[in-house]
Amino acid sequence: MTGIKTTRQRLGMVQFVIILLALSACVAVAAHGQWVITQLPYSLAMEPSINNSEEIVWAQNGGGIYSSVRGALASSGLSPHLANSGEVVYADWFGGPYWDLVSTTRGRMTQGGIIDVNSSTFDVNALGEVVYGVRDTNDYYQVYSTVRGQITFGARDHYYPCINDKGEIVWQEYLDDGGRVNVSSIRGVLPGDSHNIVDLNNAGDFCSFDSLEKTSGYYTWPHLFSSAHGFLISDPDQFQFGGGINDAGTIVWAAQNYIYKATWTNGPALSIVSTPSGLALEWPTNVPGFHPEYTTNLANPASWQALTGNPVTNSVAFHLPIEQSLGNFVFFRLSNRNP
């Protein structure tokens, strides 16, 4: 950035790097990143969970709980949750009215068919503490712990409890006005929109489900969301089911009978450099799938356009002179969408 005065910082968008150019004053934003998504070779799989060893467990469509490392763990069951200790807790059927929780190391953990897998989730941490949701005597869903007993109270529903190895529990709570918030037993009400939480890691990050707008007023669901990086796939026609996150932030889910894994990687750095003939954009050659775009206004919705010109490379960086007359203030980004 030699010869260019830094003014102020602006944050970019997921999967993009944005820099602000104002005649002779500009600022480069720290590189953002993108999800690298891989289809794993586990078919007929549902509701996967992942731990820090990157072992994955899932419920097999047709019956059974399976591990990517240990093979078959149980001949029946649903919704397995894998702890960093290797313990797996899942729901199994013992005659109803609903399901009960079973541990691969401790056996059956609840009695009476109290786990409604259609409206309540559960989780286990490396210390063996299990949290789950059950209706109280007033017919409200409350969060319970096998170690601490009842966690939530009051005349409102509490859904989707998850726990990490630090003992933090998060859940979704309905408000008296009909709204919803995500709540942590340590941090209180969490900022941002409320989502259906499915897993929590030791950094306090969680993955959850939310809807995406396809057309005006029409939404599709479910779509997996990362509290650290937003939606994994911002396509309202692609759906994700189940989900788990480990401490590295790696997320797994099921779609089309396969398990998918998403790993967050830092995005390429976009820089403005000064040349004898003027200013130019530069970005590394190890990201050939990216191309520069610009907009003159970040007001929502911003209108991004491809920057014309043919970049040259010296095998280390792409270099594109800024030859267009774009106005006094211009925002640039590297985009991996089709130009």
Side-chain angles (χ1 to χ4, degrees):
M1 298 283 292
T2 304
I4 302 177
K5 180 181 177 182
T6 299
T7 55
R8 55 181 176 168
Q9 290 188 341
R10 274 189 178 273
L11 293 180
M13 301 170 61
V14 172
Q15 294 188 338
F16 304 107
V17 178
I18 302 177
I19 55 180
L20 168 65
L21 170 63
L23 294 179
S24 61
C26 67
V27 57
V29 178
H32 288 262
Q34 60 181 327
W35 291 106
V36 175
I37 296 175
T38 306
Q39 178 180 308
L40 302 180
Y42 311 121
S43 61
L44 299 177
M46 306 180 295
E47 305 168 313
S49 179
I50 187 172
N51 66 10
N52 287 346
S53 300
E54 294 219 352
E55 179 184 6
I56 299 170
V57 297
W58 65 89
Q60 190 79 356
N61 187 354
I65 304 297
Y66 287 80
S67 160
S68 60
V69 176
R70 293 173 279 172
L73 300 178
S75 60
S76 60
L78 294 174
S79 304
H81 291 261
L82 172 64
N84 286 323
S85 63
E87 180 182 14
V88 179
V89 172
Y90 59 95
D92 209 346
W93 183 260
F94 294 94
Y98 298 115
W99 303 67
D100 277 306
L101 299 182
V102 179
S103 162
T104 53
T105 60
R106 293 178 283 171
R108 186 171 176 178
M109 304 191 71
T110 64
Q111 304 292 324
I114 62 174
I115 305 297
D116 183 352
V117 294
N118 292 318
S119 55
S120 176
T121 58
F122 52 91
D123 199 12
V124 59
N125 67 10
L127 302 177
E129 183 174 3
V130 178
V131 292
Y132 55 94
V134 174
R135 291 190 184 275
D136 63 13
T137 56
N138 295 314
D139 207 34
Y140 290 104
Y141 265 102
Q142 306 292 352
V143 176
Y144 293 82
S145 159
T146 55
V147 175
R148 289 174 269 180
Q150 188 169 346
I151 301 297
T152 64
F153 300 86
R156 57 181 61 176
D157 287 315
H158 307 77
Y159 292 105
Y160 311 112
C162 295
I163 188 169
N164 63 21
D165 295 342
K166 297 179 180 180
E168 180 183 17
I169 304 170
V170 296
W171 63 86
Q172 183 186 81
E173 184 170 324
Y174 276 67
L175 303 178
D176 294 338
D177 62 4
R180 297 174 297 175
V181 291
N182 290 333
V183 181
S184 160
S185 61
I186 295 175
R187 294 174 283 167
V189 175
L190 300 176
D193 295 335
S194 172
H195 301 274
N196 298 355
I197 302 171
V198 292
D199 204 8
L200 172 73
N201 68 15
N202 291 329
D205 297 329
F206 57 85
C207 60
S208 57
F209 286 112
D210 200 4
S211 58
L212 282 171
E213 188 172 23
K214 182 173 182 178
T215 58
S216 179
Y218 176 71
Y219 293 82
T220 62
W221 186 92
H223 303 284
L224 203 53
F225 179 91
S226 158
S227 62
H229 302 298
F231 285 102
L232 275 71
I233 303 174
S234 299
D235 183 344
D237 292 321
Q238 295 191 45
F239 305 98
Q240 299 88 52
F241 302 91
I245 185 172
N246 65 13
D247 289 347
T250 299
I251 296 177
V252 292
W253 71 94
Q256 300 172 337
N257 283 329
Y258 279 93
I259 295 176
Y260 291 82
K261 179 176 75 172
T263 303
W264 182 259
T265 60
N266 290 329
L270 178 65
S271 302
I272 292 180
V273 296
S274 181
T275 71
S277 58
L279 298 176
L281 297 176
E282 280 193 352
W283 65 99
T285 55
N286 62 353
V287 285
F290 285 79
H291 60 89
E293 295 182 328
Y294 75 94
T295 184
T296 56
N297 191 336
L298 282 179
N300 190 32
S303 178
W304 292 96
Q305 303 177 61
L307 189 66
T308 60
N310 295 315
V312 297
T313 179
N314 59 4
S315 76
V316 174
F318 288 109
H319 184 94
L320 180 64
I322 304 173
E323 299 175 346
Q324 297 170 262
S325 176
L326 302 176
N328 291 336
F329 285 89
V330 180
F331 300 89
F332 294 96
R333 73 181 184 185
L334 282 178
S335 170
N336 58 1
R337 68 178 185 175
N338 292 327

